Amino acid sequence: MEILVCVKRVPDTAENEIAVNKAGTDIDRDDLVYSVNEWDNYAVEEAIQIRDKVGGTVTVVSVGDDEAEEVVRREMAMGADNGLLLCDDAFTGSDGKGLATILKAAVEKGNFDLILTGAQADDGAGQVGGMLAAMLDWPYASLVNLVEIIDDKKIKVGREIAGGNQEMNEMDLPCVLSIQTGINEPRYVGIRGIRKVASVEIPVKGAADLGLAADAAGKAGAKVDRLDYFVPELGEGAEMLEGSTEEIIEKLVEILKAKGGIK
Amino acid sequence: MAQQIFAYILHKDGVVDDSAQELIVAARKLDPEAAVTAVVGGAGEQLAQACQQAAAIYPEVWKIDNPALAYINAEVIRPMLARIIPAGAITLVPHEHFGMDLAPGLSIKLNAAYLPDVVGFEGVEGGRLRAVREEFSGQVSTHVNCDLSGGAVITVRPGAFQPQEGQAAGGQVVDKSGEAGAAEPRRRYLETVAAEVGDVDITKSEILVSVGRGIEDQDNLELIHELAEAVGGEVSCSRPIVDAKWLEKARQVGTSGQTVKPKVYLALGISGSFQHMGGIKGAPFMVAVNKNPKAPIFQAADVGVVADILEFVPELTEKIKESR
Ligand SMILES: Cc1cc2nc3c(=O)[nH]c(=O)nc-3n(C[C@H](O)[C@H](O)[C@H](O)COP(=O)(O)OP(=O)(O)OC[C@H]3O[C@@H](n4cnc5c(N)ncnc54)[C@H](O)[C@@H]3O)c2cc1C
């Protein structure tokens, strides 16, 4: 099975508070800690487990700037066989469709049976996998939390639906899946793994290498574009308890008693 | 503007989803003048019932009746929708597990723009729609511009557009099954596997002590169990705690977990993503403890405390025990 996994470098929300910069043009990127998008980590782990079961290779691809190389390398340290970075000034300002267009060009240069993406990333859009599948005219399943390989033509997938229920499907290969968290336990990447791939060459491809026209992606081709970032006008919100910890706790215990929060 | 707007209607066992009411509110917000058409796919008697309900909300309902849609499968219905939705139209779809499956690919098939997970519309100017989205799980918002000239597929966040008092639409149902055509599904529905029931039913609990990623480590969960015991409540959690297998799935609150209706909900180290909040019904009295003063959960909570739960929770537990 030849598997391609699409990954994205994103600010790590567990490590940072995300704030808007003064001009409202972007989030405040000074001192942000970046990592691989949480959902993508599960996708790479799943790909590695499939390869270990049925053979084949796992390739990790990212559209991004030079710094995206670090997440490709990290996922290779997890156990992916190949890395690929799609990087070009012409890609800047791409919308979801632009990103899918870039990825499609890379897919067509390979010979993949299965493409995995994360269910969503930092922008919460969850769009690239479904768009890529439609462009390739391959079947798609989103929010996948189980994959079983039947043979080289078919797989069985479980999709997460409301209330924690799971929808089982049989799907033809090649296909695209977006992977939901919880499908597996992504392995820990130790310093040894990182060292092993530290000097591996990661190929970088731009628009010309992929045979993409200058306006196929990037700002020029975008139908959707972000105007600004802002912190919404907030409603009333919570009554914030203030004072020393002791005072806060005293108030809180009183409130909890009054509201039936202590039986 | 005179752009046609379609709303994709979800239904189950012949009953239309709440989103049917929300999408028409969204459509009117987008363009007060637009004719809004509901599209309902399915099979047989249940579809007929759903269409009747949709016709009470929408002036026109397009029905796609096909045995292959008896269980709604985005891969089957996507090409059918692409055949009947005219070029340049706007299609609204709920942003939940089915909508996320259907919509991105539909936008490609219709050669339309894709605008996901919208929480607000702020008008159209020069063929461009100005909409509001959230990023980083609601920590920041953005305005986005969407070019409507080639039509658009837009997913709408559940709950973002509050339904208005019912205006009886008395709509007519138009059968589009023939035009929608046949399907050759390359993804075939097999069965639905029901969620595992755990040994605890958090949906019955009046007090929930709910913990999120802020707990940082499995061993720290002990603090939460102690607090739950002290107040006489059950422990529930956000999704990352279940993904890490620190608590069983039956304790997860949210759209892909349990829907709970406690009297009091303590949200400890939970950011307040919409998928988590979507599982909390009946407006419980909510207390949030979070070390980030800007955490979205403080907007939903009644009482908030900015603190590190690892330090705060043990002291709170101690005090509650003392006060008994
Ligand atoms: C289709 C889909 C379905 C989903 N379904 C669900 C669902 O059913 N339920 C659900 O919960 N999620 C669901 N999610 C995931 C959801 O989007 C969020 O990722 C998740 O709810 C975040 O959980 P959290 O608030 O615990 O973690 P985070 O968002 O990481 O927030 C942790 C919070 O803890 C705070 N914190 C950190 N350390 C401390 C400390 N020491 N003391 C105090 N505060 C601290 C941080 O400031 C932060 O606000 C779903 C996602 C998708 C895509």
Side-chain angles (χ1 to χ4, degrees), chain A residues 39-229:
Chain A
W39 280 268
D40 301 346
N41 236 353
Y42 287 86
V44 173
E45 176 64 39
E46 195 61 22
I48 292 169
Q49 290 189 14
I50 293 170
R51 178 205 60 198
D52 290 349
K53 255 179 235 147
V54 302
T57 65
V58 175
T59 303
V60 174
V61 63
S62 187
V63 182
D65 55 16
D66 307 342
E67 290 179 291
E69 193 197 288
E70 89 192 16
V71 306
V72 174
R73 203 174 291 283
R74 186 203 176 274
E75 300 307 272
M76 290 182 72
M78 262 175 102
D81 305 277
N82 313 302
L84 176 62
L85 183 59
L86 309 178
C87 176
D88 196 314
D89 288 344
F91 298 163
T92 312
S94 295
D95 62 1
K97 186 178 179 188
L99 291 170
T101 303
I102 299 162
L103 288 165
K104 173 179 182 255
V107 170
E108 285 173 339
K109 294 236 176 286
N111 189 18
F112 299 104
D113 305 294
L114 181 63
I115 299 175
L116 306 184
T117 70
Q120 63 174 31
D122 50 344
D123 59 5
Q127 58 189 349
V128 171
M131 288 180 152
L132 177 60
M135 282 180 188
L136 292 163
D137 200 24
W138 291 6
Y140 173 64
S142 65
L143 301 171
V144 168
N145 61 2
L146 178 137
V147 181
E148 255 175 56
I149 307 297
I150 300 174
D151 53 37
D152 57 359
K153 301 246 157 31
K154 286 193 302 290
I155 60 173
K156 190 171 165 182
V157 302
R159 286 188 65 236
E160 173 185 283
I161 54 173
N165 299 328
Q166 191 183 39
E167 171 196 293
M168 303 302 300
N169 294 268
E170 186 184 85
M171 268 176 101
D172 295 347
L173 291 170
C175 68
V176 181
L177 310 177
S178 88
I179 300 296
Q180 177 63 305
T181 57
I183 185 173
N184 53 41
E185 285 178 72
R187 69 197 63 192
Y188 176 73
V189 179
I191 209 77
R192 269 180 60 198
I194 302 264
R195 275 211 201 111
K196 232 169 103 187
V197 297
S199 58
V200 177
E201 185 86 18
I202 295 176
V204 182
K205 290 201 159 59
D209 308 309
L210 296 171
L212 282 173
D215 60 354
K219 206 163 174 71
K223 288 185 174 181
V224 178
D225 83 272
R226 192 188 285 115
L227 300 170
D228 61 7
Y229 283 89

Side-chain angles (χ1 to χ4, degrees), chain A residues 13-14 38-39 119-120 143 160 180, chain B residues 100 137 211-214 216 237-240 252-257 269-273 275-276 289-292 295 307-310:
Chain A
T13 48
E38 181 180 10
W39 280 268
Q120 63 174 31
L143 301 171
E160 173 185 283
Q180 177 63 305
Chain B
M100 292 172 82
S137 319
V211 61
R213 181 140 48 195
E216 287 170 18
C237 63
S238 68
R239 176 168 187 135
Q252 180 188 319
V253 173
T255 54
S256 58
I270 294 176
S271 63
S273 72
Q275 289 106 345
H276 185 76
V289 185
N290 198 301
K291 69 176 182 190
N292 175 4
D308 184 332
I309 56 171
L310 302 178

Side-chain angles (χ1 to χ4, degrees), chain A residues 142 159 166-167 170 181, chain B residues 71 97 101 188 190 193 243:
Chain A
S142 65
R159 286 188 65 236
Q166 191 183 39
E167 171 196 293
E170 186 184 85
T181 57
Chain B
Y71 180 90
H97 58 88
D101 212 33
R188 297 161 294 274
L190 301 172
V193 180
D243 287 342

